[in-house]
Amino acid sequence: MKIRESLEEREKRILSPYASLSMNSKGRERQEQDCDIRPCYQRDRDRILYSKSFRRLKDKTQVFLTPDGDHYRTRMTHTLEVAQNARTIARALALNEDLAEAIAFGHDLGHTPFGHAGERALNSVCPFGFKHNEQSLRTVELLEKEGQGLNLTIEVRDGIVNHEMNTLPHTLEGKIVRLSDKIAYIHHDMDDAIRGGILKEGDVPEYITSVIGTTNGQWLDYFIHDIVVNSMDKDDVKMSDEGYQALHDIRSFMFANVYTNPIAKGEEGKAVELIRILYKHYMEHFELLPEYLKALMDKGEPREKLVCDYISSMTDRFAIAKFEEYFIPKSWNVL
């Protein structure tokens, strides 16, 4: 049975000459037998999808901390929307959809509880610093599967660690995810802000809406079309100058009116202190960490990084539960 080989040949026939072909992957850190059905990037996508760190995304903050409502985004739904944007763009450009989706699924695996507030907290207390994109890479390379890692391909790992705007992936599919991430959070964070009464669509300045449209759906459509039109048949994934400026302008508007809004972010100070206190507690009580993390210290991993590994893996709910367990007194009762 040569299903994988036939799928790899189909990629070669139908994809763009600029696409990352599965058969040309630079491979994995640890050599292993190929799957007889799935090309390597599809296999990576599946490994991420079935991982514990992926499942935990459902209870991690996107923008609003533990929101009281069923329709606000979580880090999981953000990831799915990034993946959908990436697949749409990759398909239109005849690039490798499996690679784009694998990178999208993995790009935020290292995110902390309480979103960027948790990231800032760990970055402020850990002497090695803390960045969620680097932690996402560490998650798939080292932490998943009780310290074994997922052994993903070089191309997927490159796209995961380089999805931030100040970095640049080496594949076009990675570049797609890098832009899809920003488009996704602008779209859904605005939608959540409107749902939460923080903003109205009409609050966006006219100099922005005259370019990208007046509704949230039009904005998403504009940015995806801009990328596709300006990247078609090119060895690059990029936006027009006008589109890139509009993306910058709407991001700046969101930072000013949502991401730093005292109503939307009023609880973040508490979340930051909670993370800092947990970090100090685990540094002093390292024995509380899971056995596989303690074993990694014996292999030379610094205690500070391992404490960050544990805290960043927590969901919002689990971090709060651990804080309550350690620091909130319980009622005394006689058995």
Side-chain angles (χ1 to χ4, degrees):
M1 182 168 58
K2 297 185 177 181
I3 296 176
R4 173 180 53 80
E5 290 89 338
S6 68
L7 292 175
E8 290 174 344
E9 286 297 328
R10 186 170 67 181
E11 285 183 0
K12 188 176 180 180
R13 290 196 310 272
I14 69 174
L15 293 186
S16 163
Y18 307 116
S20 300
L21 300 181
S22 300
M23 64 173 60
N24 294 335
S25 171
K26 295 179 181 178
R28 308 176 188 277
E29 185 174 353
R30 300 187 302 275
Q31 189 173 1
E32 58 183 66
Q33 185 175 354
D34 290 330
C35 177
D36 60 344
I37 294 177
R38 297 167 297 168
C40 59
Y41 301 138
Q42 182 184 348
R43 198 177 189 188
D44 282 0
R45 186 274 313 274
D46 295 349
R47 288 182 179 183
I48 296 170
L49 180 64
Y50 289 117
S51 69
K52 291 180 180 178
S53 52
F54 185 84
R55 293 196 294 274
R56 289 194 297 266
L57 294 176
K58 70 182 183 342
D59 284 322
K60 291 194 177 192
T61 289
Q62 173 57 29
V63 171
F64 296 94
L65 269 67
T66 56
D68 184 16
D70 294 333
H71 298 131
Y72 290 98
R73 268 69 168 198
T74 65
R75 192 63 56 177
M76 168 77 79
T77 52
H78 162 73
T79 294
L80 295 176
E81 292 184 36
V82 173
Q84 178 57 41
N85 291 345
R87 286 193 71 101
T88 297
I89 296 168
R91 183 174 297 181
L93 296 177
L95 297 177
N96 197 311
E97 293 181 51
D98 288 338
L99 175 55
E101 188 171 39
I103 295 169
F105 278 0
H107 84 283
D108 269 356
L109 293 181
H111 238 302
T112 59
F114 313 119
H116 289 286
E119 181 178 16
R120 291 194 301 271
L122 287 181
N123 188 55
S124 70
V125 293
C126 179
F128 296 98
F130 184 91
K131 295 180 180 178
H132 80 271
N133 58 314
E134 295 175 359
Q135 188 67 21
S136 295
L137 180 63
R138 183 172 168 86
T139 299
V140 300
E141 287 187 339
L142 179 66
L143 302 177
E144 262 294 332
K145 297 182 69 176
E146 303 294 301
Q148 298 180 56
L150 298 179
N151 197 30
L152 304 180
T153 57
I154 288 174
E155 293 80 9
V156 172
R157 287 151 49 205
D158 169 76
I160 287 173
V161 76
N162 289 312
H163 76 269
E164 290 290 278
M165 289 301 283
N166 60 348
T167 60
L168 193 62
H170 290 84
T171 65
L172 299 192
E173 291 82 1
K175 291 181 179 181
I176 286 174
V177 174
R178 178 173 171 267
L179 290 175
S180 295
D181 179 37
K182 282 65 190 173
I183 294 169
Y185 72 63
I186 286 170
H187 173 259
H188 60 56
D189 292 352
M190 174 64 79
D191 188 46
D192 283 353
I194 292 170
R195 178 174 293 106
I198 304 299
L199 285 176
K200 300 185 296 295
E201 284 181 341
D203 293 334
V204 180
E206 193 273 336
Y207 74 90
I208 299 176
T209 59
S210 64
V211 177
I212 66 176
T214 57
T215 70
N216 205 15
Q218 289 174 349
W219 305 341
L220 180 64
D221 186 70
Y222 170 82
F223 286 124
I224 288 177
H225 274 80
D226 188 81
I227 293 170
V228 170
V229 169
N230 287 280
S231 306
M232 186 68 68
D233 299 323
K234 294 184 175 68
D235 188 15
D236 198 6
V237 172
K238 60 183 181 179
M239 307 179 74
S240 66
D241 292 342
E242 182 182 52
Y244 189 82
Q245 184 61 48
L247 181 66
H248 172 78
D249 290 341
I250 191 66
R251 287 180 75 227
S252 297
F253 174 82
M254 293 294 289
F255 271 97
N257 293 276
V258 178
Y259 303 139
T260 59
N261 186 294
I263 299 175
K265 297 296 186 177
E267 298 295 300
E268 279 196 354
K270 298 176 185 178
V272 167
E273 286 306 305
L274 183 151
I275 295 294
R276 287 175 176 167
I277 292 169
L278 284 180
Y279 177 87
K280 181 176 184 294
H281 186 71
Y282 287 123
M283 285 296 296
E284 295 172 352
H285 300 279
F286 191 70
E287 72 278 3
L288 296 173
L289 266 65
E291 291 300 322
Y292 81 94
L293 289 177
K294 289 187 283 188
L296 289 174
M297 187 173 178
D298 295 335
K299 297 180 180 180
E301 290 293 328
R303 176 187 294 233
E304 295 88 349
K305 281 194 173 184
L306 294 170
V307 170
C308 285
D309 291 336
Y310 187 42
I311 295 175
S312 65
S313 73
M314 295 178 177
T315 62
D316 296 10
R317 181 173 52 192
F318 188 76
I320 293 171
K322 283 299 177 183
F323 183 86
E324 291 177 344
E325 177 185 341
Y326 300 139
F327 302 109
I328 305 300
K330 296 178 177 61
S331 299
W332 180 83
N333 63 82
V334 178
L335 296 177

